[in-house]
Amino acid sequence: MGQRSFEWQERFCREQRPEPCRIVIFGASGDLAKRKLFPSLAALDARGLLAPTSRITGCARHPYTTDSFRRHLADCFPAPLPADGDIFFRRTGYMPLGYDCPDDYRQLAGELQRQGDGTPVIFYLALPSHLYPVVVNRLAAAGLLTETPSGGPRRVVFEKPFGHDPASAAALDAALRQHLGEHQIYRIDHYLGKETVQNIFLLRFANRIFEPIWNASQVDSIQITVAEQLGVEQRAGYFDQAGLLRDMFQNHMLEMLSLVTMECPYTFSADAVRDEKIKLIRSIRPIAFTDTVRAQYDGYTSEPGVAPDSRTETYAALKLYIDNWRWQGVPVYLRAGKKLGIRRTELDIIFKPVPHSVFPGIPQTALQPDILHLHVQPEEGIGLTLQAKKAGPKLCMGALTLNYDYRESGGESLDAYARLLLDCQLGDQTLFIRSDVIAAAWQLYQPLLDHWAADTATPIPRYPQRSDGPPEAHQLLARDDREWTDDLAVPL
Ligand SMILES: NC(=O)c1ccc[n+]([C@@H]2O[C@H](COP(=O)([O-])OP(=O)(O)OC[C@H]3O[C@@H](n4cnc5c(N)ncnc54)[C@H](OP(=O)(O)O)[C@@H]3O)[C@@H](O)[C@H]2O)c1
């Protein structure tokens, strides 16, 4: 694109500064805490989005002292430490804690009391999910989840996976509900913290031009791709039990799909948005097993921590339909995989072709469809592929893509975890998953998970590492006379 102009309406730039909070991170010795949570909190601090009197306490079994914990964290900050890194560290402490040890929770209660009563307390459970009920029970027994007018709100953040199937998700939910109200439960899906994903709301509901074309009469199909170059890395133990459908489709991809296809909420508030999401998810037709593909990358079963006879899918693709007025008959194609050639997360809205070509010598079928691309990863932005004429005397037609990178907006984007940690401080649950949405997501995918688990005879297709995935995923679209918008193999 050539010249761009941005006219940000400063009077509508809302940045709410959070009140002071006490933040406790369980599993503070772990990978997520070190790579994402503490750097995100430091980034919020640097931007004035962590109140100066807020305090952060890391808790885990590892016998760090506050000093050795700060040194452990310092590795994850770019060297040299940011100018304000030191200030951040001074408000960060560490307390060794056994997750099921009542005495340790009494000490934690004392520490939180010392930090000053009356401000919100956020407990972030960066732990394996089997520990969620253990920690919540202990927090409740120590009186740490009780909300009183003088004690301030109590919020608990849960990481994914939230259950392994519908029954375990329901059991986990019931265990948490013994001590927590839904308004206290923050179930994370970090994809919702990404700029593009939030921009879907603005694109759809702050621009009038899209609404008349955002439906089955104008849209041919929708594609969502989550391609990773990495394999299972350090998470083989978890991944080999879970598989890609649980890891990506049941949460991140369904959340993105629901934002792009749901109806307009009556207002941009947590429950109004989530009410529309649940309606959308419930209107997805049960997935036909014949419209699904699973595959495994070559060498997966030799990865450390993976069972040598594992049938876990590292790639999946499927087609689904949304049975409502807006989307009747529009296929939605989803694909995600590990060890592919490129890293890319993208949503593509593919519009119907023109009904007839008025250009002599160019058949209607040669005119490419218009595509709206929503880029989520690695760049965050938006693109529009249109038919255009090449400058010159000849009628030379081709596809032209206009691209806009959100970084060019002049704003400094926040990491997804930073955004979500900010919202937790503000008590805003819009970007967190409500329990009915989790239950509906499991109901959608469990029949397919059961079908795949029961089928132990059909060989799992393989695909080479750094490739585009298995040929079966192309056949899934070829059957409908369509193709994926992008090749995911390493570019030559
Ligand atoms: N890492 C990521 O990028 C990522 C991405 C998405 C979601 N998640 C989710 O975030 C949570 C934390 O992830 P993580 O990668 O940080 O996990 P992790 O490093 O495996 O575990 C975090 C901490 O939990 C404690 N822990 C681990 N296994 C335990 C066990 N069996 N019993 C008792 N304590 C145990 C350990 O601390 P101590 O031994 O010191 O107590 C460990 O340092 C998980 O639910 C994960 O699924 C992580």
Side-chain angles (χ1 to χ4, degrees), residues 223-226 344-348 373-376 485-486:
Q223 293 187 14
I224 303 183
T225 296
V226 180
R344 173 167 303 160
T345 298
E346 184 168 306
L347 296 92
D348 293 321
H373 312 269
L374 307 175
H375 308 289
V376 180
T485 52
D486 282 321

Side-chain angles (χ1 to χ4, degrees), residues 24-25 44 55 64 75 89 101 115 128 134 142 164 177 183 190 234 277 289 307 339 343 354 373 412 420-421 425 486:
V24 181
I25 301 201
L44 289 176
R55 290 285 168 272
Y64 287 117
D75 296 351
F89 282 139
C101 175
Q115 290 177 6
V134 175
H164 187 76
R177 294 307 189 94
H183 72 284
H190 71 273
Q234 316 307 324
K277 257 192 215 172
F289 302 145
K339 286 269 187 194
R343 174 173 177 247
V354 292
H373 312 269
E412 251 182 87
L420 295 171
L421 281 161
Q425 296 181 72
D486 282 321

Side-chain angles (χ1 to χ4, degrees), residues 26-37 59-64 72 94 97-99 124-132 158-162 188 190 234-235 238 247 252 417:
F26 288 93
S29 56
D31 175 66
L32 184 74
K34 181 167 172 166
R35 273 193 317 109
K36 290 288 179 188
L37 304 184
C59 289
R61 295 173 305 181
H62 192 94
Y64 287 117
H72 158 79
Y94 183 83
L97 173 141
Y99 301 112
Y124 196 121
L125 274 50
L127 288 169
S129 57
H130 72 270
L131 291 170
Y132 295 168
F158 297 94
E159 265 296 336
K160 76 157 206 192
F162 200 85
I188 283 250
H190 71 273
Q234 316 307 324
R235 298 176 70 219
Y238 155 74
D247 199 38
H252 309 315
Y417 274 97

Side-chain angles (χ1 to χ4, degrees), residues 333 471-484:
Y333 300 99
E472 288 80 353
H474 291 280
Q475 287 151 18
L476 178 73
L477 271 74
R479 276 183 351 215
D480 299 345
D481 251 347
R482 295 190 177 89
E483 51 187 30
W484 295 104

Side-chain angles (χ1 to χ4, degrees), residues 82-305:
D84 31 21
D86 220 25
I87 302 170
F88 173 72
F89 282 139
R90 267 187 262 134
R91 57 171 77 183
T92 302
Y94 183 83
M95 178 179 281
L97 173 141
Y99 301 112
D100 203 14
C101 175
D103 279 348
D104 291 352
Y105 286 81
R106 275 192 282 277
Q107 280 196 32
L108 177 62
E111 171 59 24
L112 289 171
Q113 190 84 44
R114 272 192 295 284
Q115 290 177 6
D117 215 1
T119 60
V121 184
I122 298 167
F123 298 105
Y124 196 121
L125 274 50
L127 288 169
S129 57
H130 72 270
L131 291 170
Y132 295 168
V134 175
V135 172
V136 167
N137 282 339
R138 288 291 166 219
L139 286 171
L144 286 168
L145 298 180
T146 311
E147 293 187 315
T148 60
S150 60
R154 306 290 160 127
R155 302 174 188 137
V156 188
V157 187
F158 297 94
E159 265 296 336
K160 76 157 206 192
F162 200 85
H164 187 76
D165 52 26
S168 59
L172 178 54
D173 207 46
L176 305 185
R177 294 307 189 94
Q178 287 180 17
H179 305 295
L180 292 164
E182 182 65 29
H183 72 284
Q184 295 177 283
I185 302 179
Y186 286 65
R187 300 175 193 83
I188 283 250
D189 184 331
H190 71 273
Y191 269 62
L192 292 181
K194 291 178 183 288
E195 291 286 346
T196 310
V197 176
Q198 294 163 53
N199 250 313
I200 295 174
F201 277 111
L202 274 96
L203 181 80
R204 292 194 56 201
F205 304 131
N207 296 293
R208 189 161 180 154
I209 59 168
F210 292 110
E211 178 54 21
I213 58 171
W214 212 261
N215 54 49
S217 62
Q218 301 298 329
V219 173
D220 168 80
S221 55
I222 296 173
Q223 293 187 14
I224 303 183
T225 296
V226 180
E228 293 177 275
Q229 284 175 313
L230 294 177
V232 287
E233 313 303 308
Q234 316 307 324
R235 298 176 70 219
Y238 155 74
F239 185 85
D240 199 40
Q241 296 302 311
L244 201 83
L245 207 64
R246 282 191 181 87
D247 199 38
M248 281 290 163
F249 285 67
Q250 185 270 344
N251 36 60
H252 309 315
M253 295 175 83
L254 192 56
E255 282 294 321
M256 291 192 286
L257 170 64
S258 55
L259 291 180
V260 99
T261 54
M262 71 185 206
E263 296 302 315
C264 183
Y266 73 92
T267 181
F268 188 57
S269 73
D271 274 332
V273 170
R274 299 185 300 177
D275 286 348
E276 293 305 333
K277 257 192 215 172
I278 186 79
K279 267 165 55 187
L280 186 281
I281 295 173
R282 285 183 180 145
S283 61
I284 298 175
R285 191 185 302 171
I287 298 163
F289 302 145
T290 47
D291 289 340
T292 66
V293 171
R294 61 172 160 166
Q296 206 179 66
Y297 63 77
D298 286 334
Y300 172 70
T301 49
S302 314
E303 298 268 21

